[in-house]
Amino acid sequence: MKMMTLLLISVATFCAIVSTVSSSCSPSDLAALQSIRTGLTDTSLGIFNSWVGTDCCVNWYGVSCDPTTGRVVDINLRGESEDPILTKSGQSGFMSGSISPQICRLDHLTTLVIADWKGVTGKIPQCLTTLSKLRILDLVGNKISGEIPADIGNLKMLTVLNLADNQISGKIPASLVGLSGLMHMDLSNNQITGEIPADFGKLKMLSRALLNRNQLTGSIPDSIGNMNRLADLDLSRNQMSGYVPDCLGKMQVLSTLNLDRNSFSGQLPASLLSNRGMGILNLSRNGFEGNIPDVFHGNSYFMALDLSYNNLKGPIPGSLSAAKYIGHLDLSHNHLCGAIPVGNPFDHQEASSFTNNDCLCGNPLSTC
């Protein structure tokens, strides 16, 4: 009995030692985090004040470890959030410096968030593409420059890519379409040039593609019509041109499409206006011409429909009166003519929705 008790105590002690070793920070991860801290300067919140000692798995702000292996799996540093350290200070964070390439030594990393610090500069470390376990890469709201790493397609586990509101330049890497599990992509408000890859439609899992406020050129790839999960596509404020593929209007899930402030031309695809799931459609400030297709119906439900600043002519379609709901409607600055239809969708619209056309009349404009 005594031997059994001693054995149980020995086993318990061994397990405790193993548990302690497993949960503590690995030396390589500790060195990498220390390099990250050296490269970044937070003068407003002091979030790195907790990065002391040798166990990065315990009470290091924004750092999480796998409880079994003790390896760092998450870095989550946001300059704007509901975190108590931010709400208590009553201000958003500001951080300067750059992301150390030593971060790539964290080879178990699944989440990397260094977002909304406004002053983080430098380039995205090329070696990030070697972090095969990475699922979330979020560097939004900084001043990061340079190009998106050419081998970003190597991050096969990536589901979220958010590089918005930076100063990133260059083209969209051809390898990006290899991110087969990507669900959310936001590259908006950067300086990205060139065309959208022709095989962009390979991103079958993508639900949001936000590429607005860049310097993209070329046309919309037909392959986008094959993205069955895409709900939100924003290509606004670029330098794109050509026709809008009719296949966009046949996408079952697409509910928000912003193409405003480009140089698209041709006639409006009827399928876009008749799509039962389309809720926000902004095609303003382009070069669309011809008549507005008379294809609206009782299931048309637009929170916003903006066709302003184009070269559209002819009457406002009578079928628009049958629409179930239209929240914001803007048909101004075109060459439309004739009586504004009567019906519920038009009852709450202001005159500014119809001004600067050739000869529109009727409520809320002057009588015909």
Side-chain angles (χ1 to χ4, degrees), residues 79-102:
E80 295 180 3
S81 71
E82 299 299 320
D83 192 282
I85 198 171
L86 290 166
T87 54
K88 185 178 180 180
S89 69
Q91 62 181 347
S92 60
F94 180 85
M95 189 184 293
S96 58
S98 59
I99 302 172
S100 170
Q102 293 298 312

Side-chain angles (χ1 to χ4, degrees), residues 319-347:
S319 63
L320 200 53
S321 296
K324 188 174 183 178
Y325 177 77
I326 297 180
H328 171 75
L329 175 67
D330 195 345
L331 303 177
S332 66
H333 295 87
N334 279 289
H335 300 288
L336 301 174
C337 195
I340 297 173
V342 177
N344 180 59
F346 298 96
D347 291 343

Side-chain angles (χ1 to χ4, degrees), residues 39-315:
L40 297 171
T41 302
D42 163 37
T43 57
S44 58
L45 301 175
I47 64 168
F48 290 127
N49 292 343
S50 65
W51 287 30
V52 294
T54 59
D55 193 353
C56 65
C57 296
V58 179
N59 297 326
W60 279 41
Y61 181 84
V63 177
S64 300
C65 297
D66 185 308
T68 303
T69 65
R71 300 299 305 276
V72 173
V73 291
D74 295 340
I75 294 179
N76 196 336
L77 303 175
R78 288 192 181 277
E80 295 180 3
S81 71
E82 299 299 320
D83 192 282
I85 198 171
L86 290 166
T87 54
K88 185 178 180 180
S89 69
Q91 62 181 347
S92 60
F94 180 85
M95 189 184 293
S96 58
S98 59
I99 302 172
S100 170
Q102 293 298 312
I103 199 170
C104 303
R105 295 175 63 183
L106 302 173
D107 54 9
H108 281 237
L109 205 62
T110 62
T111 299
L112 175 57
V113 178
I114 302 178
D116 297 316
W117 291 104
K118 307 173 188 65
V120 176
T121 58
K123 299 180 179 180
I124 301 172
Q126 294 287 328
C127 59
L128 278 185
T129 61
T130 65
L131 299 178
S132 61
K133 300 179 185 294
L134 199 62
R135 293 179 178 272
I136 297 174
L137 177 57
D138 187 348
L139 305 177
V140 63
N142 291 294
K143 291 184 178 179
I144 296 171
S145 58
E147 300 185 3
I148 300 172
D151 295 332
I152 195 163
N154 290 342
L155 299 176
K156 300 301 183 184
M157 302 292 287
L158 204 66
T159 60
V160 174
L161 176 62
N162 191 351
L163 305 177
D165 301 330
N166 279 288
Q167 298 173 4
I168 295 170
S169 58
K171 298 181 178 181
I172 298 174
S175 73
L176 186 139
V177 301
L179 299 174
S180 58
L182 196 64
M183 298 179 183
H184 175 99
M185 178 175 65
D186 191 348
L187 305 180
S188 62
N189 197 23
N190 278 289
Q191 300 163 19
I192 299 172
T193 57
E195 300 185 6
I196 298 174
D199 52 353
F200 193 79
K202 287 183 177 179
L203 298 170
K204 299 284 189 181
M205 300 296 291
L206 202 62
S207 62
R208 300 191 76 199
L210 310 180
L211 303 172
N212 51 300
R213 294 176 181 267
N214 279 290
Q215 300 168 25
L216 295 172
T217 55
S219 58
I220 301 174
D222 288 334
S223 66
I224 288 182
N226 300 323
M227 302 171 71
N228 297 327
R229 295 174 183 251
L230 190 64
D232 187 350
L233 176 62
D234 194 340
L235 303 178
S236 63
R237 295 175 181 264
N238 278 290
Q239 301 166 21
M240 300 183 68
S241 58
Y243 300 112
V244 174
D246 184 66
C247 59
L248 292 189
K250 299 175 182 178
M251 298 175 70
Q252 298 297 312
V253 179
L254 189 64
S255 59
T256 300
L257 178 61
N258 291 305
L259 303 180
D260 50 293
R261 295 177 185 268
N262 279 286
S263 298
F264 293 116
S265 58
Q267 298 195 347
L268 297 176
S271 58
L272 277 181
L273 301 177
S274 63
N275 188 314
R276 293 172 180 265
M278 190 66 67
I280 297 176
L281 180 60
N282 191 343
L283 306 179
S284 65
R285 298 179 185 273
N286 279 287
F288 294 111
E289 56 192 12
N291 289 15
I292 300 174
D294 194 6
V295 292
F296 299 92
H297 46 76
N299 289 317
S300 297
Y301 193 103
F302 289 96
M303 290 177 283
L305 175 60
D306 193 342
L307 306 179
S308 63
Y309 289 91
N310 280 290
N311 297 312
L312 301 172
K313 63 181 183 179

Side-chain angles (χ1 to χ4, degrees), residues 330 332 340 348-357 363-366:
D330 195 345
S332 66
I340 297 173
H348 63 283
Q349 304 297 336
E350 299 182 359
S352 58
S353 296
F354 307 99
T355 55
N356 294 95
N357 276 286
N363 188 51
L365 301 180
S366 59

